[in-house]
Amino acid sequence: MPIAVAATIRCQLRVRGVVQGVGFRPWIYNLARRHQLAGFVLNSPRGVFIEIEGPPAALDSFLAAMHRDAPPLVRIAEIQRSEIPATGETGFAIRESDAAGSAFALVPPDICVCEPCLEDTRDPANRRFDYPFTNCTNCGPRYSIILDVPYDRPMTTMAEFAMCADCRREYEDPENRRFHAQPNACPVCGPRLILKVPGEVQAPLSAREILTRIADLLCAGGIVAWKGLGGYQLACDATQPAAVEELRRRKRRSEKPFAIMVANAETAAALCFVSEEERAVLISRERPIVLLRRRPASPLAGAVSPGNPATGVMLPCTPMHDLLFRILRERWGREAALIMTSGNVSEEPIVIENAEAEERLADIADAFVHHNRRIHTRVDDSVVRVVLGETMQLRRARGYAPQPVFLGCGEAEVLAVGAQQKNTLCLTRAGFALPSQHLGDLENFETLRFFEETLERMSRLFHVRPTAVAHDLHPGYLSTQLALRMEGLRRIPVQHHHAHIASCMAEHRLEGRVIGVAWDGTGLGTDQTIWGGEFLAADYLGFDRFARLRPVLLPGGDSGVREPWRVARSYLLDTFGVIPAGPPWDQMASPERLRIVDTMLQRRVNTIPTSSAGRLFDAVASLIGLRHSVSFEGQAAMMLEAVAQDSYDKPASPAPYSFEIVTNSARSAVQSVPDPADLDFRPMIREILEDLARGESQSRIAARFHATMVAAIAAVCRRMREILGLDRICLSGGCFQNALLLQGCVETLRGEGFQVFTHREVPANDGGISLGQAAIACEVLASGNRMNRH
């Protein structure tokens, strides 16, 4: 007998993921209407809640479309479905949000202005013509203005602006793209720009009038501070050397590269070489700063990125930026290129308050463009580069934060406090890791306060009450000291390089043991020395240190980081037993300083052993005469990569120098926890000096050095596969932001049959450490085990 099929069924759907503030409810409303289904949708602190009723076939089609056709900003992590009795309801509605409960919902990042909104601002007949705060459900501010969930206007800083009748009609019209767009506004009812020129009493001006004055000021070589999406930015004409150098002087930023903003991808391509993949990232909705190789004939001032062939380029991310570039084109008669750098004094957090800007940036900016929409959460610009056709994060902030990483590790609520440099924090809730935006180096009170502010706001926004705090082993890190002062939380110390590998594993949801290659500048090891060139056999609960760079002495601690000549002399002493005399070795620093450092090395006074790969890059940069001191972290290594690129661009591939893998005599092939092998680069140092004596170019030596690093990593990984049977490799640490090193390793290792995993969601540098700490802590809590570190 045929089975009777119900003519109508009703389902409850609970949708988790990034589903609030991204036009999901209006889209569900219209999807349900197209399928002639009844029910409702609402926001809740637990995500989006849907009840849907209709014929089974129509419901199946509706659910398939949810997965297949969701709006571009939506990221569905999970749909929980249950059937309930049908009610006979007709029609579908968007109901008022349910603010009850303390569960959490994911929050979208700030998104750049979309093309339809730009068309509105460029159309003289449109009521939003030239309006700098135009947005819709597909674009505009999110994370920077949200106070709490559910994501509704009263829970944002837009609550201060009551919608006019026209905006209200759009907001309530299901067919309008501004249907339930929480930041919706227009010139009648929304935020406005405010010009402040010190010493002037300024009458109210329109946005166009304000930005026209700013265009003229920039043309005259002035410096402007304006309030962007996530904080203030400082700008000047990037083609005027005097203006750029003056901005460096006022901002106290001697050599660290500035980013620029241009109007469109075509202008970017006129200034820099832009691949198809790089263009796609430039015009993406995240609108990050993209590192591009500058064209030799570029009109950019040399002081934009001194000594560096790459320039960070971004496109306008708000209607205000777009309007400014339209005005610049009208006034200047050409496409403009503007320095666009964080509105702060160097090494401090980006400024977000109007009064704060006038106080802290008074000695930098000639004029201020404020607005009266409050920024609740400061978010700097993101920085990326494209390697092997994929986007690699260098600084994760606007456009990306606070996008979650799904760990799938249960309900543990953990705080991970990250490292000292490039700090981020990370919270976990309901199986998700929630890395914060880039916070900066925890080396001053202002950044520490930013850390604490972000922790408080993220904890409230995501309703997280941590039961454990994961931290670095280094007792001198401010992040570690903060963790140790927190009462009532289980403390989970995590070795720095183990966290690097775990962060890469977490991104790719890897289980079991992997080969972890963690190369960076500094990280305290379990033996209380400075690690940084590590080969680990690792899972979340522990690691074996299989190999390392042969340690050398780092003289003077942090001074050895700022002055690469110090570690260069350490490598010379380790290689030859004595430090060579005469030029160029006696020209690295003053005679007295050379004598002091040489004595420190020879007597092993005020030195610490280090296996840091970052210091090896610095040492080679110094040995070949590129850089003996640096003004910012990674400068010498960046210059080494830059000069090497010239030789890589030639047909013949550079040949690697010699190296050795020295196995500890106590090691056995069957030993489960051997002493680490030493990756010995003394043969390479000898050959570099021979090349220098023959007059070989810096470019060729630098290229051969990079080829040696790739060959050495591959050799150790092959040995680990032979002994341990592992074939999955995670590459992490700041050294792998070097495109030559990363590309060479990935291509070589994949060519030898390894599965190679690199970072995409978080940076390979210390900005990704907090994700690794969080993943390890969740695993420790879930398993009830302690970590096994060696």
Side-chain angles (χ1 to χ4, degrees):
M1 188 173 71
I3 298 174
V5 178
T8 300
I9 61 174
R10 189 176 183 92
C11 290
Q12 275 187 351
L13 306 175
R14 192 173 302 283
V15 187
R16 298 176 64 209
V18 181
V19 289
Q20 296 191 23
V22 288
F24 187 58
R25 288 178 301 160
W27 181 79
I28 288 291
Y29 172 90
N30 286 302
L31 182 66
R33 292 184 66 189
R34 283 199 301 273
H35 287 83
Q36 297 183 322
L37 297 170
F40 64 87
V41 59
L42 59 80
N43 273 343
S44 81
R46 296 169 293 281
V48 168
F49 184 79
I50 303 168
E51 287 195 9
I52 193 82
E53 182 172 329
L59 258 68
D60 289 342
S61 179
F62 173 88
L63 289 167
M66 279 183 65
H67 288 285
R68 185 184 63 243
D69 303 326
L73 305 187
V74 170
R75 292 179 62 178
I76 295 175
E78 180 184 42
I79 299 177
Q80 298 174 355
R81 174 181 175 177
S82 60
E83 289 196 15
I84 59 175
T87 66
E89 181 178 10
T90 60
F92 194 90
I94 296 180
R95 292 189 179 176
E96 289 293 321
S97 297
D98 174 14
S102 61
F104 95 118
L106 298 173
V107 170
D110 299 310
I111 296 299
C112 80
V113 59
C114 68
E115 279 302 317
C117 283
L118 281 182
E119 290 173 7
D120 290 346
T121 66
R122 295 168 180 172
D123 179 4
N126 192 290
R127 71 190 189 91
R128 289 188 173 85
F129 178 58
D130 284 350
Y131 185 55
F133 303 94
T134 301
N135 66 85
C136 70
T137 55
N138 296 319
C139 70
R142 299 293 192 274
Y143 180 51
S144 62
I145 65 168
I146 294 175
L147 307 176
D148 206 343
V149 293
Y151 175 62
D152 285 316
R153 194 176 181 105
M155 296 290 195
T156 74
T157 60
M158 285 298 295
E160 301 161 19
F161 301 92
M163 280 185 277
C164 65
D166 288 336
C167 286
R168 174 62 64 182
R169 275 193 294 272
E170 293 170 332
Y171 182 86
E172 295 175 351
D173 178 4
E175 303 299 326
N176 194 291
R177 77 171 193 278
R178 295 190 171 93
F179 183 43
H180 282 232
Q182 305 307 333
N184 189 29
C186 74
V188 172
C189 63
R192 61 184 180 84
L193 295 184
I194 305 160
L195 176 65
K196 179 66 181 291
V197 180
E200 289 188 14
V201 178
Q202 191 62 61
L205 299 172
S206 71
R208 176 169 281 273
E209 289 170 331
I210 289 173
L211 295 182
T212 298
R213 282 205 58 184
I214 292 303
D216 293 342
L217 179 60
L218 292 169
C219 185
I223 297 169
V224 176
W226 56 54
K227 193 176 184 179
L229 201 55
Y232 276 80
Q233 296 168 310
L234 292 164
C236 70
D237 183 357
T239 65
Q240 294 190 40
V244 179
E245 288 161 6
E246 179 64 13
L247 177 56
R248 286 200 175 279
R249 186 191 68 79
R250 295 185 190 179
K251 191 173 163 69
R252 302 200 293 271
R253 181 167 168 159
S254 58
E255 295 178 286
K256 192 173 183 180
F258 282 135
I260 65 168
M261 180 180 283
V262 296
N264 47 53
E266 291 70 30
T267 305
L271 299 173
C272 301
F273 298 100
V274 184
S275 68
E276 289 184 12
E277 295 86 356
E278 288 165 337
R279 186 182 189 279
V281 181
L282 270 175
I283 66 174
S284 69
R285 59 180 176 263
E286 291 83 8
R287 283 292 199 279
I289 297 168
V290 184
L291 291 193
L292 302 173
R293 199 167 184 200
R294 198 168 53 255
R295 292 184 181 275
S298 166
L300 296 174
V304 171
S305 46
N308 191 328
T311 297
V313 182
M314 63 176 156
L315 304 187
C317 61
T318 71
M320 181 185 74
H321 292 104
D322 180 76
L323 174 57
L324 174 67
F325 276 93
R326 285 192 279 130
I327 293 171
L328 288 170
R329 190 181 302 119
E330 296 166 6
R331 305 288 286 189
W332 295 9
R334 61 178 172 87
E335 292 291 352
L338 300 180
I339 296 290
M340 196 66 63
T341 189
S342 304
N344 59 4
V345 178
S346 288
E347 310 309 328
E348 292 184 3
I350 189 170
V351 172
I352 60 172
E353 298 288 349
N354 298 6
E356 179 191 17
E358 292 186 25
E359 176 186 351
R360 302 195 70 79
L361 306 179
D363 295 333
I364 302 177
D366 299 313
F368 298 86
V369 180
H370 304 305
H371 61 70
N372 58 340
R373 183 180 68 201
R374 284 191 301 115
I375 296 172
H376 181 66
T377 299
R378 65 189 87 217
V379 190
D380 215 329
D381 297 313
S382 294
V383 184
V384 306
R385 76 186 303 182
V386 175
V387 181
L388 291 171
E390 297 189 32
T391 302
M392 177 173 67
Q393 301 270 351
L394 304 182
R395 184 172 77 190
R396 183 180 187 268
R398 177 186 51 76
Y400 298 97
Q403 292 278 29
V405 176
F406 187 63
L407 300 178
C409 58
E411 297 294 320
E413 296 187 22
V414 165
L415 163 65
V417 296
Q420 182 86 341
Q421 303 289 320
K422 301 176 178 63
N423 181 266
T424 62
L425 62 88
C426 185
L427 294 167
T428 68
R429 178 80 194 267
F432 291 97
L434 304 158
S436 75
Q437 70 273 31
H438 167 81
L439 303 178
D441 297 344
L442 286 180
E443 295 178 343
N444 55 57
F445 172 74
E446 290 80 11
T447 308
L448 176 60
R449 187 171 59 182
F450 182 24
F451 177 100
E452 293 172 332
E453 168 191 290
T454 303
L455 173 57
E456 187 274 327
R457 291 181 179 179
M458 286 186 67
S459 298
R460 184 177 68 250
L461 182 62
F462 295 111
H463 297 273
V464 177
R465 293 184 175 85
T467 60
V469 56
H471 61 84
D472 197 273
L473 298 184
H474 201 303
Y477 285 2
L478 279 181
S479 56
T480 301
Q481 294 171 13
L482 277 170
L484 296 179
R485 288 201 299 267
M486 292 179 179
E487 298 181 356
L489 302 183
R490 176 177 173 181
R491 297 170 186 139
I492 301 176
V494 179
Q495 200 280 324
H496 190 90
H497 301 95
H498 185 202
H500 267 307
I501 301 308
S503 68
C504 189
M505 292 177 66
E507 282 192 44
H508 297 279
R509 299 193 66 184
L510 301 180
E511 299 294 336
R513 284 217 300 177
V514 302
I515 296 171
V517 184
W519 276 27
D520 65 359
T522 299
L524 185 66
T526 55
D527 60 0
Q528 300 302 300
T529 66
I530 301 301
W531 293 6
E534 310 308 312
F535 296 84
L536 310 178
D539 58 23
Y540 292 113
L541 290 178
F543 64 89
D544 294 333
R545 193 185 188 198
F546 185 92
R548 64 185 179 182
L549 269 62
R550 172 184 163 87
V552 298
L553 296 177
L554 181 64
D558 288 344
S559 296
V561 177
R562 294 188 295 270
E563 297 179 323
W565 65 267
R566 291 172 177 253
V567 71
R569 296 182 82 78
S570 182
Y571 267 99
L572 290 172
L573 180 62
D574 186 54
T575 300
F576 299 105
V578 295
I579 298 173
W585 318 118
D586 60 359
Q587 298 168 353
M588 291 175 155
S590 69
E592 179 63 14
R593 300 186 75 212
L594 292 176
R595 183 190 65 78
I596 292 171
V597 168
D598 290 353
T599 300
M600 290 164 59
L601 289 168
Q602 290 158 356
R603 296 182 180 177
R604 305 177 72 91
V605 175
N606 194 22
T607 61
I608 185 169
T610 181
S611 58
S612 167
R615 300 291 77 79
L616 175 58
F617 277 75
D618 289 350
V620 172
S622 177
L623 288 174
I624 67 174
L626 277 178
R627 195 84 195 191
H628 296 313
S629 63
V630 298
S631 62
F632 63 90
E633 186 200 11
Q635 184 178 17
M638 289 167 58
M639 294 180 70
L640 192 66
E641 178 189 358
V643 298
Q645 184 66 58
D646 294 336
S647 289
Y648 270 87
D649 289 340
K650 296 176 181 177
S653 298
Y657 291 114
S658 302
F659 61 89
E660 297 176 357
I661 302 173
V662 181
T663 303
N664 187 288
S665 59
R667 186 191 184 96
S668 159
V670 298
Q671 190 174 356
S672 62
V673 187
D675 290 335
D678 282 340
L679 185 51
D680 189 347
F681 287 115
R682 287 179 297 178
M684 179 189 71
I685 299 296
R686 293 189 189 97
E687 292 172 13
I688 287 175
L689 265 63
E690 291 168 2
D691 271 356
L692 287 170
R694 284 193 293 266
E696 187 62 86
S697 69
Q698 290 177 331
S699 175
R700 192 66 183 169
I701 295 172
R704 292 191 67 190
F705 167 77
H706 280 81
T708 308
M709 299 300 100
V710 172
I713 287 171
V716 176
C717 289
R718 284 194 299 270
R719 185 168 293 193
M720 293 181 74
R721 179 166 60 184
E722 293 167 5
I723 294 174
L724 303 175
L726 304 175
D727 69 352
R728 296 180 301 167
I729 300 174
C730 289
L731 303 177
S732 189
C735 290
F736 288 108
Q737 294 186 158
N738 179 315
L740 294 179
L741 179 67
L742 181 64
Q743 181 168 333
C745 286
V746 170
E747 292 177 342
T748 300
L749 293 167
R750 286 179 179 165
E752 296 190 12
F754 288 98
Q755 299 179 65
V756 184
F757 300 91
T758 62
H759 287 278
R760 292 295 176 264
E761 296 286 334
V762 298
N765 63 31
D766 283 4
I769 284 284
S770 63
L771 173 62
Q773 292 173 342
I776 288 170
C778 286
E779 192 70 24
V780 169
L781 294 176
S783 67
N785 293 329
R786 293 185 178 275
M787 284 182 291
N788 176 31
R789 296 193 305 269
H790 299 284

